[in-house]
Amino acid sequence: MTEFVNGLNNVLWSTPVIYILLGVGLLFSILTRFLQVRHVKEMVKLMFSGKSSSAGISSFQALSIALSGRVGTGNIAGVATAIFYGGPGAIFWMWVIAFIGASSAFVESTLAQIYKVKHNGQYRGGPAYFIEKGIGWKWFGTTFAIAALLAMAVLMPAVQSNSIAEGMKNAFEVPNYITGIVIIVILGFIILGGVKRIANVAQLIVPFMAIGYMIIAIIIILMNITELPSVISLIFRSAFGMDSAFGGIIGMAIMWGVKRGIFSNEAGQGTGAHAAAAAEVSHPVKQGLVQSFSVYIDTLFVCSATAFMILFTGMFNTQAEDGSYIVNNLPNVEQGPGYTQAAVDSALPGFGAGFVAVALFFFAFTTIMAYYYIAETNIVYLIRKKNTKYALFAVKIVLLITTFYGTIRKAELAWALGDVGLGIMVWLTVIAILILAKPALIALKDYERQKKAGLDPVFNPKELGIKNADFWENDYKEESDVKK
């Protein structure tokens, strides 16, 4: 089983694929004239604007759901894994994919808003919807929806729950199955409440967990501030093969930095687009910009916090391609949350294991919540009926089972299966947004034109020549007329 899964990963995450992903992000950065730099101020402003409605959630709630998916075990265990296989240089490539990936996140989220629909009084959207309505390939939309359902409900929840269970076991000696039971009980209560309850929980937990984690990281950095120049130098030298110790694994640094970066920030994966479509906004670009900034929050802030804690304290191992160790500071410690726990413990004795275990619980738990919402959206797309109650209940049960199963199986297999699910979604989403980028670019130009004229941008797809944006042509116009 493990050999088959690893073989599939070697295809999905081959070296050419890594460079294609970097190239796509760079292409969108150029086409949008590096909006991730030009519109940073606007992104922050839009995060806190807008209100929820009976059909949609606020921009901040949509951001919180997206961050629930983005800020997860990848920010703690994923960063440690990247350092294990790719050395400190992998962190630089995580930064690169976050910077250029912000433009990919903008395109996919703006498209999700343009082609969203209203189903049973709630906004729904994502790659499956914009593939069918924008490109006209229903078969491709169906393929994505099936892949997303498989990834979100079966393959990827186990990665998150496995990390929670291992963290709790290391810190508090709680048996894995006990942690699994607690997770599924709390998770079941939340997901049974639908998107509104998920959004309300996310907007409370996500800011709290991210800020708390960052504060501890800053404390540890300040305690070791004299190491800052050498750590920054090590990251850059390793990233370009100029370090004597890590120079031989530059290819691994790029591959693992990009792979773990995408796993964490989900730019170009299509997951963030689902939450983006649920937001109540007057123009699709508004939520596209908000979702773009969420990539920065995930990687440049939270992932960097983990990386600096590990590198500043030296609590990591790095393996060469032949299986020998370049660095072996933590013998017998498996790559993952154990590195971060050791890093915090070395600076704050007796605090690290418990702190990281609790942080992992919040990070990974909210990610599983986001996975459910994405799975729910894609089952609604596939069924297309008013009554999806039984199908959604079945998805809830499957996700709870796979989440529990993840707590009792080996970490290596859990991560490998998660990478398969991620790889399939990335392939399909990147192809779709490359074909369908034009409407997002037209919408961006329209938004900038209206902002320059001093207006609060409103989207009119007919005026822009964008077809099949049915919600904006019909439902949004009717709602606007009623408000007037």
Side-chain angles (χ1 to χ4, degrees), residues 76-87:
I76 297 178
V79 171
T81 305
I83 292 172
F84 177 77
Y85 288 110

Side-chain angles (χ1 to χ4, degrees), residues 169-363:
K169 183 179 178 182
N170 292 338
F172 307 115
E173 298 184 357
V174 178
N176 288 27
Y177 76 93
I178 296 294
T179 301
I181 292 170
V182 172
I183 292 171
I184 62 173
V185 168
I186 301 173
L187 182 66
F189 170 75
I190 294 170
I191 65 177
L192 285 171
V195 64
K196 292 286 186 180
R197 187 177 294 172
I198 293 172
N200 288 331
V201 172
Q203 74 175 351
L204 288 174
I205 293 178
V206 170
F208 161 77
M209 71 181 189
I211 292 170
Y213 191 73
M214 292 289 295
I215 289 172
I216 295 299
I218 291 169
I219 290 171
I220 292 174
I221 290 169
L222 291 175
M223 291 173 68
N224 298 274
I225 196 65
T226 56
E227 299 295 320
L228 181 61
S230 61
V231 168
I232 295 294
S233 174
L234 178 63
I235 290 173
F236 279 87
R237 284 187 287 107
S238 303
F240 295 99
M242 295 185 293
D243 184 82
S244 57
F246 301 102
I249 58 169
I250 181 174
M252 296 293 282
I254 297 172
M255 184 181 79
W256 281 93
V258 172
K259 182 158 74 168
R260 283 290 164 257
I262 291 175
F263 187 97
S264 178
N265 65 48
E266 302 183 355
Q269 183 182 326
T271 48
H274 296 84
E280 183 70 73
V281 290
S282 64
H283 198 291
V285 167
K286 288 185 175 182
Q287 200 59 33
L289 291 173
V290 170
Q291 301 305 93
S292 184
F293 192 74
S294 70
V295 175
Y296 285 171
I297 295 173
D298 171 87
T299 306
L300 298 186
F301 298 159
V302 185
C303 282
S304 294
T306 299
F308 283 135
M309 285 192 288
I310 291 173
L311 295 178
F312 270 62
T313 58
M315 295 292 108
F316 67 96
N317 301 328
T318 296
Q319 181 179 270
E321 292 188 64
D322 63 2
S324 62
Y325 281 92
I326 299 171
V327 175
N328 191 18
N329 293 337
L330 291 172
N332 303 319
V333 176
E334 187 178 6
Q335 69 271 18
Y339 290 8
T340 314
Q341 289 176 323
V344 179
D345 251 338
S346 69
L348 303 169
F351 183 70
F355 169 74
V356 173
V358 172
L360 259 177
F361 178 85
F362 283 116
F363 280 29

Side-chain angles (χ1 to χ4, degrees), residues 20-21 24 28 107-108 111 127 130-131 135 137 139-140 143-144 268-270 423-437:
I20 287 170
L21 293 174
V24 168
F28 286 142
V107 171
E108 66 183 4
L111 289 172
F130 65 64
I131 287 169
I135 304 176
W137 296 351
W139 64 270
F140 194 8
T143 301
F144 177 88
Q269 183 182 326
I424 294 170
M425 289 183 68
V426 168
W427 267 87
L428 296 174
T429 302
V430 166
I431 292 170
I433 61 179
L434 279 172
I435 295 172
L436 197 57

Side-chain angles (χ1 to χ4, degrees), residues 409-447:
R409 71 180 177 188
K410 289 187 177 180
E412 183 181 355
L413 180 58
W415 275 98
L417 286 170
D419 282 340
V420 169
L422 172 64
I424 294 170
M425 289 183 68
V426 168
W427 267 87
L428 296 174
T429 302
V430 166
I431 292 170
I433 61 179
L434 279 172
I435 295 172
L436 197 57
K438 188 176 179 180
L441 298 175
I442 291 172
L444 175 61
K445 190 174 181 180
D446 174 62
Y447 181 85

Side-chain angles (χ1 to χ4, degrees), residues 343-426:
V344 179
D345 251 338
S346 69
L348 303 169
F351 183 70
F355 169 74
V356 173
V358 172
L360 259 177
F361 178 85
F362 283 116
F363 280 29
F365 182 82
T366 53
T367 297
I368 301 172
M369 283 187 346
Y371 286 170
Y372 169 73
Y373 174 69
I374 295 165
E376 177 183 291
T377 297
N378 283 284
I379 202 73
V380 169
Y381 169 84
L382 289 169
I383 294 179
R384 300 168 185 254
K385 292 179 181 177
K386 290 224 172 210
N387 189 359
T388 56
K389 181 172 65 173
Y390 297 112
L392 292 179
F393 182 75
V395 171
K396 290 180 175 78
I397 296 300
V398 169
L399 183 131
L400 291 173
I401 290 172
T402 55
T403 297
F404 178 79
Y405 181 55
T407 63
I408 58 174
R409 71 180 177 188
K410 289 187 177 180
E412 183 181 355
L413 180 58
W415 275 98
L417 286 170
D419 282 340
V420 169
L422 172 64
I424 294 170
M425 289 183 68
V426 168

